[in-house]
Structures are given as C-alpha cells and as structure tokens.
Amino acid sequence: MTSLFFDLDGTLTDPKAGIISSVHYALDKLGIDEVPGDLDWVIGPPLPESFVVMVGADRAEEGVRAYREHYSVTGLYQNEVYPGIPALLAALKAAGHPLYVATSKPHVFANPILERFGLASYFDAVFGAELDGTRGNKADLLAHALAQTGSDPQTSIMLGDRKHDILGAKANGVKTISVLWGYGSRVEFEAAGTDRIVESVAELRDELL
C-alpha cells in the first residue's frame, strides 16, 4: 500500500491569515516600516530562509523569534481546512494507506493545528522541523520520516504545494503530486520536475483511490 506524506500549509490547511499577521508583527517589532505588499511567497518555504530575504541574514534569527511570539499564541489558529480534505483523508485511511504529515513547520506547531482542526486522527505520525531549524529542509525531513516509518521510497508519494516538497521528495527517490489550491504555481511545479499536478481535491481523490 502506498505511503502518503502530506505537506501541511497550503495542502491540508490555508494558513495565510495567521502567517501573514505574524510576519507583520515581526517586521513591526524589528522596526521595519516598509512591508512588501504581497507576502504569499513566505507560505511554504522554511521560515528562517524567508526572514533572510526580508530582513537580512544578520537579523533573520531575531525576526523568527518575533514571528513566533505572535504565531505560537494567535497565528497558528488563524487557519482554515481546505474543503474536502477531511473526507479525502477518511477515504484514504479506510482504504488502508499509511498517512503521514511532513512539514517544514516545527512539529510543536503542527500537532496543535492538526488537533484543533480535527485532522490529527487521520495520521499515523507527524514529522516537522525542530525549533532550532533541524530538519527544516524538506529533503532532510523526508529522509527522517521514511526512516522512522520504514516506508519504501519507491511506493511512497509526497503531496504538497511548493517546489520544496518536490525537491525534497526527488532527493529521496519519492514520487510527487503537486496541488494547485495552495501557494505554488504550475510553472513552479513543472520547473521543479513534479510527477503529477492536480487542480482539485476531487481530482486528487481520483488519483489516489
């Protein structure tokens, strides 16, 4: 049976409100007045990398700390489950697929989100980064998840909405399905070499069941 590794942000849930509000909080705390208008690009990539772009390498760690002050209390719950995801997960679980979360988000945030929105029970395990950045890279994270679960890369699929999911999977010999309802684009997915692109949860269900 195929092991399915799901990204969280932009794949299972839409985290935009919480992430963007937390970024604004952090930039304000760092005294940065000119905030870029469209910050959607920060959703998905490892947070420290995004702050290097926004505030420079010398202040990135400070930015991440400020971000987490807001996100850990308020931002992580400013979130919405994409329509159709619970029914999809229930059907996949009933069909016998091992289901896992593999997210660059720290697991100390990922687990409460899954619990709050009623998704935790569908997953056999949740794999996320550590707060110090360990396994923040998707390739390292997925390698760890494969080892911990004993999943065969050749019979596993990584499902996500950004190029990082594709590149991390390819580094581990895992096939990918990229979803267009999140924050990545068809151009991004094709450039990264994804195996399959789906436009809707219904199309993903047809692909997997």
PDB file of all heavy atoms in Angstrom, residues 30-63:
ATOM      1  N   LEU A  30      10.702  44.631  14.634  1.00  0.00           N
ATOM      2  CA  LEU A  30      12.078  44.906  14.223  1.00  0.00           C
ATOM      3  C   LEU A  30      12.237  46.332  13.697  1.00  0.00           C
ATOM      4  O   LEU A  30      13.329  46.733  13.286  1.00  0.00           O
ATOM      5  CB  LEU A  30      12.528  43.905  13.159  1.00  0.00           C
ATOM      6  CG  LEU A  30      13.230  42.635  13.680  1.00  0.00           C
ATOM      7  CD1 LEU A  30      12.321  41.806  14.566  1.00  0.00           C
ATOM      8  CD2 LEU A  30      13.753  41.789  12.526  1.00  0.00           C
ATOM      9  N   GLY A  31      11.136  47.102  13.710  1.00  0.00           N
ATOM     10  CA  GLY A  31      11.202  48.489  13.297  1.00  0.00           C
ATOM     11  C   GLY A  31      11.267  48.693  11.807  1.00  0.00           C
ATOM     12  O   GLY A  31      11.780  49.705  11.326  1.00  0.00           O
ATOM     13  N   ILE A  32      10.734  47.720  11.067  1.00  0.00           N
ATOM     14  CA  ILE A  32      10.743  47.819   9.610  1.00  0.00           C
ATOM     15  C   ILE A  32       9.399  48.352   9.160  1.00  0.00           C
ATOM     16  O   ILE A  32       8.365  47.685   9.303  1.00  0.00           O
ATOM     17  CB  ILE A  32      11.047  46.446   8.977  1.00  0.00           C
ATOM     18  CG1 ILE A  32      12.456  46.005   9.395  1.00  0.00           C
ATOM     19  CG2 ILE A  32      10.916  46.503   7.461  1.00  0.00           C
ATOM     20  CD1 ILE A  32      12.815  44.610   8.978  1.00  0.00           C
ATOM     21  N   ASP A  33       9.403  49.561   8.617  1.00  0.00           N
ATOM     22  CA  ASP A  33       8.161  50.238   8.253  1.00  0.00           C
ATOM     23  C   ASP A  33       7.637  49.836   6.883  1.00  0.00           C
ATOM     24  O   ASP A  33       6.436  49.717   6.676  1.00  0.00           O
ATOM     25  CB  ASP A  33       8.354  51.763   8.286  1.00  0.00           C
ATOM     26  CG  ASP A  33       8.692  52.266   9.685  1.00  0.00           C
ATOM     27  OD1 ASP A  33       8.151  51.688  10.653  1.00  0.00           O
ATOM     28  OD2 ASP A  33       9.485  53.207   9.790  1.00  0.00           O
ATOM     29  N   GLU A  34       8.549  49.647   5.945  1.00  0.00           N
ATOM     30  CA  GLU A  34       8.130  49.330   4.590  1.00  0.00           C
ATOM     31  C   GLU A  34       7.960  47.815   4.444  1.00  0.00           C
ATOM     32  O   GLU A  34       8.923  47.080   4.279  1.00  0.00           O
ATOM     33  CB  GLU A  34       9.148  49.851   3.574  1.00  0.00           C
ATOM     34  CG  GLU A  34       9.217  51.369   3.518  1.00  0.00           C
ATOM     35  CD  GLU A  34      10.091  51.859   2.377  1.00  0.00           C
ATOM     36  OE1 GLU A  34      10.360  51.056   1.461  1.00  0.00           O
ATOM     37  OE2 GLU A  34      10.500  53.027   2.403  1.00  0.00           O
ATOM     38  N   VAL A  35       6.710  47.378   4.532  1.00  0.00           N
ATOM     39  CA  VAL A  35       6.398  45.952   4.423  1.00  0.00           C
ATOM     40  C   VAL A  35       5.968  45.651   2.998  1.00  0.00           C
ATOM     41  O   VAL A  35       5.099  46.343   2.460  1.00  0.00           O
ATOM     42  CB  VAL A  35       5.269  45.561   5.410  1.00  0.00           C
ATOM     43  CG1 VAL A  35       4.936  44.093   5.274  1.00  0.00           C
ATOM     44  CG2 VAL A  35       5.684  45.899   6.831  1.00  0.00           C
ATOM     45  N   PRO A  36       6.568  44.622   2.359  1.00  0.00           N
ATOM     46  CA  PRO A  36       6.157  44.264   0.992  1.00  0.00           C
ATOM     47  C   PRO A  36       4.659  43.962   0.950  1.00  0.00           C
ATOM     48  O   PRO A  36       4.108  43.380   1.886  1.00  0.00           O
ATOM     49  CB  PRO A  36       6.986  43.004   0.695  1.00  0.00           C
ATOM     50  CG  PRO A  36       8.146  43.079   1.651  1.00  0.00           C
ATOM     51  CD  PRO A  36       7.625  43.761   2.874  1.00  0.00           C
ATOM     52  N   GLY A  37       4.003  44.349  -0.132  1.00  0.00           N
ATOM     53  CA  GLY A  37       2.553  44.180  -0.215  1.00  0.00           C
ATOM     54  C   GLY A  37       2.104  42.738  -0.231  1.00  0.00           C
ATOM     55  O   GLY A  37       1.222  42.338   0.528  1.00  0.00           O
ATOM     56  N   ASP A  38       2.676  41.914  -1.099  1.00  0.00           N
ATOM     57  CA  ASP A  38       2.252  40.527  -1.247  1.00  0.00           C
ATOM     58  C   ASP A  38       3.276  39.609  -0.595  1.00  0.00           C
ATOM     59  O   ASP A  38       4.384  39.428  -1.084  1.00  0.00           O
ATOM     60  CB  ASP A  38       2.104  40.186  -2.729  1.00  0.00           C
ATOM     61  CG  ASP A  38       1.586  38.768  -2.942  1.00  0.00           C
ATOM     62  OD1 ASP A  38       1.342  38.064  -1.950  1.00  0.00           O
ATOM     63  OD2 ASP A  38       1.426  38.378  -4.111  1.00  0.00           O
ATOM     64  N   LEU A  39       2.889  39.029   0.526  1.00  0.00           N
ATOM     65  CA  LEU A  39       3.799  38.154   1.266  1.00  0.00           C
ATOM     66  C   LEU A  39       3.445  36.680   1.101  1.00  0.00           C
ATOM     67  O   LEU A  39       3.922  35.834   1.857  1.00  0.00           O
ATOM     68  CB  LEU A  39       3.787  38.526   2.751  1.00  0.00           C
ATOM     69  CG  LEU A  39       4.473  39.843   3.119  1.00  0.00           C
ATOM     70  CD1 LEU A  39       4.157  40.226   4.557  1.00  0.00           C
ATOM     71  CD2 LEU A  39       5.985  39.746   2.913  1.00  0.00           C
ATOM     72  N   ASP A  40       2.618  36.342   0.120  1.00  0.00           N
ATOM     73  CA  ASP A  40       2.224  34.938  -0.067  1.00  0.00           C
ATOM     74  C   ASP A  40       3.430  34.025  -0.261  1.00  0.00           C
ATOM     75  O   ASP A  40       3.376  32.838   0.070  1.00  0.00           O
ATOM     76  CB  ASP A  40       1.294  34.798  -1.281  1.00  0.00           C
ATOM     77  CG  ASP A  40      -0.107  35.325  -1.012  1.00  0.00           C
ATOM     78  OD1 ASP A  40      -0.327  35.879   0.093  1.00  0.00           O
ATOM     79  OD2 ASP A  40      -0.981  35.191  -1.890  1.00  0.00           O
ATOM     80  N   TRP A  41       4.515  34.558  -0.786  1.00  0.00           N
ATOM     81  CA  TRP A  41       5.696  33.741  -1.063  1.00  0.00           C
ATOM     82  C   TRP A  41       6.334  33.174   0.198  1.00  0.00           C
ATOM     83  O   TRP A  41       7.102  32.208   0.125  1.00  0.00           O
ATOM     84  CB  TRP A  41       6.731  34.560  -1.849  1.00  0.00           C
ATOM     85  CG  TRP A  41       7.265  35.752  -1.101  1.00  0.00           C
ATOM     86  CD1 TRP A  41       6.749  37.005  -1.087  1.00  0.00           C
ATOM     87  CD2 TRP A  41       8.406  35.787  -0.233  1.00  0.00           C
ATOM     88  NE1 TRP A  41       7.486  37.830  -0.278  1.00  0.00           N
ATOM     89  CE2 TRP A  41       8.509  37.109   0.265  1.00  0.00           C
ATOM     90  CE3 TRP A  41       9.341  34.842   0.178  1.00  0.00           C
ATOM     91  CZ2 TRP A  41       9.522  37.499   1.148  1.00  0.00           C
ATOM     92  CZ3 TRP A  41      10.352  35.232   1.052  1.00  0.00           C
ATOM     93  CH2 TRP A  41      10.434  36.541   1.518  1.00  0.00           C
ATOM     94  N   VAL A  42       6.017  33.726   1.374  1.00  0.00           N
ATOM     95  CA  VAL A  42       6.615  33.191   2.606  1.00  0.00           C
ATOM     96  C   VAL A  42       5.901  31.935   3.077  1.00  0.00           C
ATOM     97  O   VAL A  42       6.386  31.255   3.991  1.00  0.00           O
ATOM     98  CB  VAL A  42       6.629  34.234   3.752  1.00  0.00           C
ATOM     99  CG1 VAL A  42       7.272  35.518   3.317  1.00  0.00           C
ATOM    100  CG2 VAL A  42       5.232  34.481   4.300  1.00  0.00           C
ATOM    101  N   ILE A  43       4.755  31.611   2.483  1.00  0.00           N
ATOM    102  CA  ILE A  43       3.984  30.441   2.902  1.00  0.00           C
ATOM    103  C   ILE A  43       4.531  29.204   2.214  1.00  0.00           C
ATOM    104  O   ILE A  43       4.449  29.071   0.994  1.00  0.00           O
ATOM    105  CB  ILE A  43       2.487  30.619   2.573  1.00  0.00           C
ATOM    106  CG1 ILE A  43       1.949  31.886   3.245  1.00  0.00           C
ATOM    107  CG2 ILE A  43       1.685  29.397   3.022  1.00  0.00           C
ATOM    108  CD1 ILE A  43       0.553  32.264   2.825  1.00  0.00           C
ATOM    109  N   GLY A  44       5.122  28.315   2.990  1.00  0.00           N
ATOM    110  CA  GLY A  44       5.670  27.085   2.428  1.00  0.00           C
ATOM    111  C   GLY A  44       7.153  26.900   2.676  1.00  0.00           C
ATOM    112  O   GLY A  44       7.560  25.908   3.275  1.00  0.00           O
ATOM    113  N   PRO A  45       8.001  27.849   2.240  1.00  0.00           N
ATOM    114  CA  PRO A  45       9.440  27.680   2.475  1.00  0.00           C
ATOM    115  C   PRO A  45       9.785  27.732   3.965  1.00  0.00           C
ATOM    116  O   PRO A  45       9.012  28.267   4.767  1.00  0.00           O
ATOM    117  CB  PRO A  45      10.047  28.888   1.740  1.00  0.00           C
ATOM    118  CG  PRO A  45       9.013  29.312   0.762  1.00  0.00           C
ATOM    119  CD  PRO A  45       7.692  29.018   1.414  1.00  0.00           C
ATOM    120  N   PRO A  46      10.942  27.173   4.340  1.00  0.00           N
ATOM    121  CA  PRO A  46      11.374  27.283   5.740  1.00  0.00           C
ATOM    122  C   PRO A  46      11.423  28.743   6.178  1.00  0.00           C
ATOM    123  O   PRO A  46      11.955  29.606   5.469  1.00  0.00           O
ATOM    124  CB  PRO A  46      12.771  26.656   5.719  1.00  0.00           C
ATOM    125  CG  PRO A  46      12.732  25.693   4.570  1.00  0.00           C
ATOM    126  CD  PRO A  46      11.872  26.370   3.535  1.00  0.00           C
ATOM    127  N   LEU A  47      10.872  29.019   7.344  1.00  0.00           N
ATOM    128  CA  LEU A  47      10.741  30.388   7.830  1.00  0.00           C
ATOM    129  C   LEU A  47      12.070  31.142   7.915  1.00  0.00           C
ATOM    130  O   LEU A  47      12.136  32.316   7.520  1.00  0.00           O
ATOM    131  CB  LEU A  47      10.039  30.368   9.188  1.00  0.00           C
ATOM    132  CG  LEU A  47       9.612  31.706   9.768  1.00  0.00           C
ATOM    133  CD1 LEU A  47       8.566  32.364   8.876  1.00  0.00           C
ATOM    134  CD2 LEU A  47       9.073  31.514  11.182  1.00  0.00           C
ATOM    135  N   PRO A  48      13.141  30.533   8.454  1.00  0.00           N
ATOM    136  CA  PRO A  48      14.408  31.275   8.528  1.00  0.00           C
ATOM    137  C   PRO A  48      14.883  31.783   7.167  1.00  0.00           C
ATOM    138  O   PRO A  48      15.424  32.883   7.070  1.00  0.00           O
ATOM    139  CB  PRO A  48      15.384  30.246   9.121  1.00  0.00           C
ATOM    140  CG  PRO A  48      14.508  29.322   9.911  1.00  0.00           C
ATOM    141  CD  PRO A  48      13.256  29.207   9.099  1.00  0.00           C
ATOM    142  N   GLU A  49      14.672  30.983   6.110  1.00  0.00           N
ATOM    143  CA  GLU A  49      15.082  31.412   4.766  1.00  0.00           C
ATOM    144  C   GLU A  49      14.305  32.653   4.337  1.00  0.00           C
ATOM    145  O   GLU A  49      14.859  33.571   3.726  1.00  0.00           O
ATOM    146  CB  GLU A  49      14.843  30.280   3.767  1.00  0.00           C
ATOM    147  CG  GLU A  49      15.737  29.063   3.959  1.00  0.00           C
ATOM    148  CD  GLU A  49      15.468  27.994   2.926  1.00  0.00           C
ATOM    149  OE1 GLU A  49      14.755  28.282   1.928  1.00  0.00           O
ATOM    150  OE2 GLU A  49      15.958  26.864   3.109  1.00  0.00           O
ATOM    151  N   SER A  50      13.012  32.687   4.671  1.00  0.00           N
ATOM    152  CA  SER A  50      12.183  33.825   4.281  1.00  0.00           C
ATOM    153  C   SER A  50      12.622  35.097   5.005  1.00  0.00           C
ATOM    154  O   SER A  50      12.640  36.187   4.421  1.00  0.00           O
ATOM    155  CB  SER A  50      10.707  33.536   4.572  1.00  0.00           C
ATOM    156  OG  SER A  50      10.253  32.445   3.795  1.00  0.00           O
ATOM    157  N   PHE A  51      12.985  34.950   6.283  1.00  0.00           N
ATOM    158  CA  PHE A  51      13.405  36.132   7.032  1.00  0.00           C
ATOM    159  C   PHE A  51      14.768  36.644   6.579  1.00  0.00           C
ATOM    160  O   PHE A  51      15.040  37.844   6.675  1.00  0.00           O
ATOM    161  CB  PHE A  51      13.375  35.870   8.541  1.00  0.00           C
ATOM    162  CG  PHE A  51      12.056  36.222   9.162  1.00  0.00           C
ATOM    163  CD1 PHE A  51      11.110  35.245   9.395  1.00  0.00           C
ATOM    164  CD2 PHE A  51      11.737  37.537   9.471  1.00  0.00           C
ATOM    165  CE1 PHE A  51       9.865  35.572   9.937  1.00  0.00           C
ATOM    166  CE2 PHE A  51      10.516  37.875  10.009  1.00  0.00           C
ATOM    167  CZ  PHE A  51       9.563  36.886  10.252  1.00  0.00           C
ATOM    168  N   VAL A  52      15.616  35.770   6.074  1.00  0.00           N
ATOM    169  CA  VAL A  52      16.882  36.233   5.496  1.00  0.00           C
ATOM    170  C   VAL A  52      16.589  37.175   4.330  1.00  0.00           C
ATOM    171  O   VAL A  52      17.221  38.226   4.181  1.00  0.00           O
ATOM    172  CB  VAL A  52      17.744  35.044   5.028  1.00  0.00           C
ATOM    173  CG1 VAL A  52      18.908  35.531   4.171  1.00  0.00           C
ATOM    174  CG2 VAL A  52      18.288  34.267   6.229  1.00  0.00           C
ATOM    175  N   VAL A  53      15.605  36.801   3.520  1.00  0.00           N
ATOM    176  CA  VAL A  53      15.223  37.645   2.377  1.00  0.00           C
ATOM    177  C   VAL A  53      14.639  38.970   2.852  1.00  0.00           C
ATOM    178  O   VAL A  53      14.947  40.035   2.321  1.00  0.00           O
ATOM    179  CB  VAL A  53      14.206  36.901   1.487  1.00  0.00           C
ATOM    180  CG1 VAL A  53      13.689  37.828   0.375  1.00  0.00           C
ATOM    181  CG2 VAL A  53      14.827  35.652   0.886  1.00  0.00           C
ATOM    182  N   MET A  54      13.788  38.910   3.892  1.00  0.00           N
ATOM    183  CA  MET A  54      13.072  40.110   4.326  1.00  0.00           C
ATOM    184  C   MET A  54      13.906  41.072   5.145  1.00  0.00           C
ATOM    185  O   MET A  54      13.765  42.296   5.015  1.00  0.00           O
ATOM    186  CB  MET A  54      11.824  39.707   5.130  1.00  0.00           C
ATOM    187  CG  MET A  54      10.717  39.089   4.293  1.00  0.00           C
ATOM    188  SD  MET A  54       9.200  38.792   5.239  1.00  0.00           S
ATOM    189  CE  MET A  54       9.671  37.351   6.210  1.00  0.00           C
ATOM    190  N   VAL A  55      14.780  40.543   6.021  1.00  0.00           N
ATOM    191  CA  VAL A  55      15.488  41.436   6.954  1.00  0.00           C
ATOM    192  C   VAL A  55      16.999  41.266   6.931  1.00  0.00           C
ATOM    193  O   VAL A  55      17.705  41.963   7.661  1.00  0.00           O
ATOM    194  CB  VAL A  55      14.967  41.231   8.406  1.00  0.00           C
ATOM    195  CG1 VAL A  55      13.473  41.475   8.475  1.00  0.00           C
ATOM    196  CG2 VAL A  55      15.313  39.849   8.947  1.00  0.00           C
ATOM    197  N   GLY A  56      17.504  40.337   6.097  1.00  0.00           N
ATOM    198  CA  GLY A  56      18.940  40.117   6.041  1.00  0.00           C
ATOM    199  C   GLY A  56      19.381  39.020   6.997  1.00  0.00           C
ATOM    200  O   GLY A  56      18.721  38.748   8.013  1.00  0.00           O
ATOM    201  N   ALA A  57      20.512  38.414   6.678  1.00  0.00           N
ATOM    202  CA  ALA A  57      20.999  37.278   7.462  1.00  0.00           C
ATOM    203  C   ALA A  57      21.300  37.656   8.904  1.00  0.00           C
ATOM    204  O   ALA A  57      21.124  36.847   9.824  1.00  0.00           O
ATOM    205  CB  ALA A  57      22.246  36.694   6.799  1.00  0.00           C
ATOM    206  N   ASP A  58      21.747  38.912   9.120  1.00  0.00           N
ATOM    207  CA  ASP A  58      22.158  39.303  10.466  1.00  0.00           C
ATOM    208  C   ASP A  58      20.976  39.473  11.422  1.00  0.00           C
ATOM    209  O   ASP A  58      21.147  39.409  12.642  1.00  0.00           O
ATOM    210  CB  ASP A  58      22.985  40.592  10.416  1.00  0.00           C
ATOM    211  CG  ASP A  58      22.242  41.744   9.763  1.00  0.00           C
ATOM    212  OD1 ASP A  58      21.367  41.477   8.922  1.00  0.00           O
ATOM    213  OD2 ASP A  58      22.538  42.905  10.096  1.00  0.00           O
ATOM    214  N   ARG A  59      19.752  39.676  10.885  1.00  0.00           N
ATOM    215  CA  ARG A  59      18.590  39.875  11.749  1.00  0.00           C
ATOM    216  C   ARG A  59      17.528  38.772  11.578  1.00  0.00           C
ATOM    217  O   ARG A  59      16.462  38.849  12.194  1.00  0.00           O
ATOM    218  CB  ARG A  59      17.943  41.230  11.472  1.00  0.00           C
ATOM    219  CG  ARG A  59      18.865  42.414  11.681  1.00  0.00           C
ATOM    220  CD  ARG A  59      18.075  43.706  11.758  1.00  0.00           C
ATOM    221  NE  ARG A  59      17.378  43.848  13.028  1.00  0.00           N
ATOM    222  CZ  ARG A  59      16.465  44.784  13.283  1.00  0.00           C
ATOM    223  NH1 ARG A  59      16.122  45.646  12.330  1.00  0.00           N
ATOM    224  NH2 ARG A  59      15.880  44.863  14.465  1.00  0.00           N
ATOM    225  N   ALA A  60      17.831  37.784  10.770  1.00  0.00           N
ATOM    226  CA  ALA A  60      16.843  36.735  10.480  1.00  0.00           C
ATOM    227  C   ALA A  60      16.423  35.984  11.739  1.00  0.00           C
ATOM    228  O   ALA A  60      15.230  35.733  11.963  1.00  0.00           O
ATOM    229  CB  ALA A  60      17.394  35.763   9.440  1.00  0.00           C
ATOM    230  N   GLU A  61      17.383  35.627  12.582  1.00  0.00           N
ATOM    231  CA  GLU A  61      17.052  34.895  13.804  1.00  0.00           C
ATOM    232  C   GLU A  61      16.160  35.724  14.716  1.00  0.00           C
ATOM    233  O   GLU A  61      15.193  35.218  15.319  1.00  0.00           O
ATOM    234  CB  GLU A  61      18.339  34.492  14.538  1.00  0.00           C
ATOM    235  CG  GLU A  61      18.097  33.590  15.739  1.00  0.00           C
ATOM    236  CD  GLU A  61      19.385  33.121  16.383  1.00  0.00           C
ATOM    237  OE1 GLU A  61      20.435  33.129  15.704  1.00  0.00           O
ATOM    238  OE2 GLU A  61      19.345  32.751  17.570  1.00  0.00           O
ATOM    239  N   GLU A  62      16.457  37.015  14.814  1.00  0.00           N
ATOM    240  CA  GLU A  62      15.632  37.933  15.600  1.00  0.00           C
ATOM    241  C   GLU A  62      14.213  37.997  15.033  1.00  0.00           C
ATOM    242  O   GLU A  62      13.221  38.015  15.774  1.00  0.00           O
ATOM    243  CB  GLU A  62      16.275  39.320  15.582  1.00  0.00           C
ATOM    244  CG  GLU A  62      15.540  40.368  16.404  1.00  0.00           C
ATOM    245  CD  GLU A  62      16.147  41.756  16.240  1.00  0.00           C
ATOM    246  OE1 GLU A  62      17.133  41.902  15.484  1.00  0.00           O
ATOM    247  OE2 GLU A  62      15.602  42.694  16.867  1.00  0.00           O
ATOM    248  N   GLY A  63      14.117  38.003  13.709  1.00  0.00           N
ATOM    249  CA  GLY A  63      12.820  38.034  13.061  1.00  0.00           C
ATOM    250  C   GLY A  63      11.995  36.788  13.329  1.00  0.00           C
ATOM    251  O   GLY A  63      10.794  36.865  13.595  1.00  0.00           O
TER     252      GLY A  63
END
